[in-house]
Amino acid sequence: MVVRLDDSFPPRMAWSIPDDVVYLNHGSFGATPVVVQEAREDWSRRLARQPMEFFLKQMEPALDAAAAALGKLIRADPRDLVLVDNATVAMNIVAENIALAAGDEVILNDHEYGAVVRIWRQKCEEAGARLVIVRLGDVSGGDPDSSEPESVRTTRLTQVEDIVEPILNAVTDRTRLIVVSHVTSPSAILFPVAEICRRAKSLGVPVCVDGPHAIAMQDVDLRKIDCDFYCASLHKWLSAPFGSGFLFVRRARQSTLRGHMTSWGRSLGGFPARWQDQLNWLGTRDPAALLAVPSAIQFLEKVGLAQFRERTHELARTTREKLETVLGQPAWIPDSPEWYGSMIAVPLSARIAKKRKPNSMHPLQRSLCEEFQIEVPITECRGTSLMRVSCHLYNTHGEIDRLMAALDELIPASDR
């Protein structure tokens, strides 16, 4: 099917984004469609009308129904899923359940999300274990005789082995876990997680996949990925409400799983016990965001998931071409849907990058927001600053052109 990339599909009114804002950061904080906002509000009203009825009779079956809808989307048995607030909560639960001793190792890589690195660094420090950060891009990082700077040659990824081999080569008899993104946050790269899981399984090493950016952006099939844990937020490409995510746990690990906090640890509604109970009952809370997940799935399915993916990738591809011209830098990955989906990141020149002060927003990002009402992040990966553009259904070619015009105005030719 060929998707017509005109600016009238779908109507922007499906979202409540202000008309004067160009929102190109769905990858960080996904805007929620109005119909999904309304579904969340409806669940909150049900809770407020009859709290006792809701908590003891309605909530657990409703959570099961939401997990079933999610399981169908990502091809997972809902008995292996639990809905949690976000990927950070899910990753903390995994960290709580990986036993580490002095000298043990956990493998990450240098494209991973900062909060995930921090979670595992802290876990390793507490246990006296070693956090191994694998450097990617050094296996086939270009021709050493090339005129390109070494920083470009060693950050560019050209084949799957550039990701898989360094990670698997880092495995030792002390490795207790590999943590890897399905789609990286700072660099927007689609990683071959199924191959990594397959290779790791042959070595007897469990894998935890960090997948917030993959859900809906990619056709996720957890049966094929075959990981031990999968952590995700659903407020990104699926456009579910903020405060919705999930954790997948391989069945063999469920009976010993501990929650990240202690509460009742059982069903308060008298339903049969199962491993999700300790995570469903975390004290009194409003689960409306989790229960509205099926509405978000229905919204994208009405558009057509294949159409959503094709349209947003084509817009990201156009964005890539224009960013490479305006920024004067090549992207790190091949131009293929096997390497990126609805989001693309292109590095800034060293001259532009160095204008950022530590622990602060890059001045270029601030100017785009304050002067042009364009919301787009500048991320950091491997000591490099990248402009990362997210393309969702409400974004248009006109908005991408508006970004390019703003960059032309803000960036002196000498800085490109």
Side-chain angles (χ1 to χ4, degrees):
M1 175 180 62
V2 177
V3 180
R4 290 179 62 244
L5 295 179
D6 58 89
D7 287 353
S8 62
F9 172 80
R12 188 180 172 96
M13 68 180 64
W15 282 265
S16 52
I17 301 169
D19 290 339
D20 60 342
V21 172
V22 175
Y23 195 74
L24 298 172
N25 196 16
H26 202 100
S28 292
F29 312 111
T32 309
V34 173
V35 67
V36 181
Q37 295 178 42
E38 291 171 347
R40 176 178 181 163
E41 292 163 5
D42 182 60
W43 281 110
S44 290
R45 284 192 292 268
R46 291 193 205 186
L47 166 60
R49 278 198 302 266
Q50 228 306 11
M52 190 77 168
E53 170 79 13
F54 183 88
F55 280 127
L56 299 188
K57 297 180 182 179
Q58 297 179 16
M59 186 183 79
E60 288 174 89
L63 286 171
D64 288 346
L70 177 63
K72 184 179 178 182
L73 176 72
I74 61 175
R75 298 174 184 81
D77 190 321
R79 293 174 296 177
D80 301 329
L81 303 174
V82 63
L83 297 174
V84 297
D85 288 359
N86 50 49
T88 300
V89 169
M91 190 63 72
N92 273 275
I93 294 169
V94 175
E96 180 72 20
N97 286 276
I98 296 296
L100 295 179
D104 287 346
E105 297 173 348
V106 175
I107 295 175
L108 278 73
N109 66 80
D110 58 359
H111 286 251
E112 293 302 325
Y113 186 54
V116 171
V117 176
R118 188 167 184 262
I119 288 168
W120 289 103
R121 178 174 288 123
Q122 180 174 305
K123 173 75 175 181
C124 287
E125 288 175 352
E126 290 171 352
R130 178 170 172 248
L131 182 65
V132 179
I133 305 291
V134 174
R135 182 177 173 86
L136 302 181
D138 292 339
V139 173
S140 60
D143 179 358
D145 297 324
S146 168
S147 61
E148 289 182 323
E150 181 184 0
S151 60
V152 173
R153 295 200 310 271
T154 59
T155 51
R156 188 171 295 161
L157 303 169
T158 60
Q159 54 190 352
V160 167
E161 287 76 13
D162 294 347
I163 298 170
V164 176
E165 293 301 326
I167 292 173
L168 273 297
N169 287 342
V171 171
T172 72
D173 59 359
R174 302 298 298 177
T175 303
R176 298 294 174 260
L177 184 71
I178 294 171
V179 180
V180 62
S181 289
H182 197 160
V183 177
T184 62
S185 178
S187 52
I189 300 172
L190 175 60
F191 272 16
V193 291
E195 177 63 11
I196 291 169
C197 290
R198 185 189 68 78
R199 293 272 301 274
K201 190 173 184 179
S202 71
L203 298 173
V205 177
V207 178
C208 175
V209 177
D210 188 37
H213 286 285
I215 307 303
M217 182 203 285
Q218 296 295 312
D219 185 13
V220 177
D221 187 335
L222 289 192
R223 295 172 305 183
K224 291 182 179 178
I225 293 172
D226 197 24
C227 56
D228 293 84
F229 306 97
Y230 195 105
C231 307
S233 299
L234 298 173
H235 67 261
K236 296 182 183 289
W237 304 97
L238 186 61
S239 298
F242 294 105
S244 62
F246 75 90
L247 170 65
F248 164 87
V249 180
R250 186 186 292 278
R251 196 157 298 177
R253 295 180 173 273
Q254 293 168 8
S255 62
T256 58
L257 191 93
R258 296 177 53 189
H260 60 304
M261 60 184 290
T262 301
S263 186
W264 285 100
R266 61 176 174 83
S267 167
L268 297 190
F271 296 93
R274 65 259 181 86
W275 70 275
Q276 293 99 331
D277 290 338
Q278 60 185 313
L279 297 169
N280 285 340
W281 286 99
L282 300 177
T284 305
R285 62 169 179 163
D286 183 351
L290 304 176
L291 301 181
V293 167
S295 296
I297 296 172
Q298 291 166 11
F299 175 81
L300 278 189
E301 286 180 339
K302 255 182 199 179
V303 172
L305 285 164
Q307 189 171 13
F308 160 71
R309 290 167 188 144
E310 187 173 350
R311 173 183 166 86
T312 55
H313 173 72
E314 284 304 312
L315 191 55
R317 185 173 185 271
T318 298
T319 303
R320 171 196 174 122
E321 293 172 353
K322 294 183 177 183
L323 274 181
E324 287 181 327
T325 298
V326 171
L327 297 178
Q329 303 293 313
W332 286 351
I333 51 176
D335 187 5
S336 165
E338 295 180 359
W339 283 90
Y340 68 102
S342 311
M343 180 171 69
I344 188 66
V346 174
L348 306 179
S349 71
R351 283 179 178 270
I352 305 172
K354 72 180 182 180
K355 296 181 181 182
R356 184 179 204 156
K357 296 180 180 178
N359 301 316
S360 65
M361 181 184 293
H362 193 287
L364 179 58
Q365 179 178 338
R366 187 181 300 280
S367 294
L368 286 168
C369 173
E370 295 178 354
E371 298 177 34
F372 297 91
Q373 292 75 54
I374 299 173
E375 296 283 5
V376 61
I378 293 176
T379 61
E380 297 290 321
C381 184
R382 297 189 55 157
T384 300
S385 296
L386 303 99
M387 178 160 289
R388 194 195 71 187
V389 177
S390 299
C391 301
H392 212 282
L393 289 170
Y394 51 78
N395 295 124
T396 66
H397 285 281
E399 291 180 327
I400 300 305
D401 288 342
R402 184 169 155 187
L403 170 64
M404 300 307 152
L407 291 173
D408 259 336
E409 186 171 332
L410 291 171
I411 302 174
S414 59
D415 284 350
R416 304 183 194 188

